[in-house]
Amino acid sequence: MLEKYLNSRLQEKEILLMTHIVLGYPSFEDSFKIIEAMVAAGVDLMELQIPFSEPIADGPVILQANQKALAHGATVQKCFDFSRKIAQTFDIPFLFMTYYNILFKYGVERFAAAMAAGGLKGAIVPDLPPEEGREYLAAMQKYDLAPIFIFSPTTPDERMQYLASFGQGFIYCVARKGVTGVDTDFSRQLGEYLGRCRRATKLPLALGFGVKEKEDLDFLKGKADIAVVGSQTIRLVDNEGVGAVGEFIQNLR
């Protein structure tokens, strides 16, 4: 169970680290090298994004990575085959992150069954609210997978509690309105927002959108349980290559 794993890790660390990669970017071979470096550097769990043509929650950095992965031939089935290999090779939990159209076209229950068979632990589907996700929630429960739901700074307290009633594993708290890859102000206001999130759920809290340096993780200690790093790693791969990833992750600690 994902939540049990996270709580166990939190007995040993003040804050956990989750990273995000786009599968097939720059290539599946490079994706494997990136994951290998991240795990060796101490990442606690990882979200694997299935490329999609219209990733509405993602900013230009991750959008471009999605587009390039698709142009290089990434498919849903290749992502499933690759993630099975990853889950068998590395001893941390892996989650899928994607958009509902992928599940709809693949078949929701078929998608959940394939996730479970491949050793994945859950999924983040940012454009699927629980009101429209009955089939998805039933399939995730059937295959003992964690559906991860999202809070934002504009989510009312009552809505947070409602979303948390469907969530498992952890809650993903986005740091601000908008998309990934834009600077976030790590300030008192962010701390107050995380306090609201904490009051709404007993699940561990992950904070993403704008986390990119050690000072950000230090700020989040005691306020969130998991720091999520995504766009900054892709920028690093773009600018310095795959070999720079391991040192970057180590320095975040």
Side-chain angles (χ1 to χ4, degrees):
M1 187 177 180
L2 181 58
E3 184 183 352
K4 184 177 180 181
Y5 164 84
L6 296 175
N7 286 329
S8 174
R9 298 289 282 180
L10 286 165
Q11 298 298 312
E12 304 169 11
K13 299 180 179 181
E14 287 186 86
I15 191 164
L16 307 184
L17 182 59
M18 179 168 83
T19 49
H20 170 287
I21 73 161
V22 176
L23 293 176
Y25 180 77
S27 66
F28 280 103
E29 182 180 356
D30 284 330
S31 292
F32 186 93
K33 292 176 182 176
I34 291 167
I35 293 168
E36 185 175 43
M38 288 178 170
V39 174
V43 165
D44 299 286
L45 68 163
M46 194 178 303
E47 53 177 315
L48 309 175
Q49 183 167 357
I50 299 176
F52 182 55
S53 56
E54 299 177 67
I56 58 173
D58 293 306
V61 174
I62 294 180
L63 171 62
Q64 185 179 61
N66 274 260
Q67 292 172 337
K68 288 184 177 179
L70 290 169
H72 294 162
T75 65
V76 174
Q77 192 55 54
K78 286 181 181 179
C79 290
F80 267 116
D81 294 342
F82 180 81
S83 63
R84 181 192 294 266
K85 176 184 176 183
I86 290 301
Q88 292 173 345
T89 304
F90 302 106
D91 191 25
I92 65 168
F94 293 93
L95 315 169
F96 266 157
M97 181 271 169
T98 194
Y99 294 87
Y100 182 61
N101 191 60
I102 297 284
L103 282 72
F104 179 76
K105 294 288 286 184
Y106 196 86
V108 173
E109 176 151 348
R110 180 179 169 223
F111 190 91
M115 283 179 59
L120 294 160
K121 302 302 182 186
I124 303 168
V125 187
D127 60 344
L128 183 65
E131 291 90 341
E132 299 176 17
R134 186 173 299 177
E135 182 183 5
Y136 166 71
L137 290 168
M140 295 294 276
Q141 182 177 21
K142 178 178 179 179
Y143 293 101
D144 197 24
L145 299 167
I148 309 300
F149 283 95
I150 295 173
F151 292 172
S152 81
T154 58
T155 307
D157 293 353
E158 185 177 352
R159 179 68 178 174
M160 284 184 176
Q161 293 170 9
Y162 177 75
L163 292 171
S165 72
F166 296 97
Q168 294 181 35
F170 62 92
I171 294 290
Y172 192 123
C173 307
V174 301
R176 51 177 164 67
K177 294 186 292 183
V179 296
T180 59
V182 180
D183 287 345
T184 292
D185 181 16
F186 286 81
S187 64
R188 181 176 61 84
Q189 188 173 10
L190 180 57
E192 290 173 353
Y193 158 58
L194 286 170
R196 284 205 304 122
C197 297
R198 185 72 75 186
R199 289 189 292 273
T201 182
K202 294 182 179 178
L203 292 170
L205 300 179
L207 190 283
F209 284 40
V211 178
K212 58 185 180 182
E213 56 192 12
K214 183 180 183 299
E215 287 74 15
D216 300 337
L217 269 73
D218 291 341
F219 174 87
L220 292 173
K221 290 176 181 176
K223 302 178 184 71
D225 303 297
I226 306 163
V228 186
V229 179
S231 297
Q232 189 65 15
T233 304
I234 294 175
R235 287 191 193 98
L236 189 70
V237 171
D238 289 343
N239 296 330
E240 300 182 34
V242 173
V245 170
E247 183 179 359
F248 167 68
I249 297 298
Q250 287 176 339
N251 288 339
L252 289 174
R253 290 295 189 188

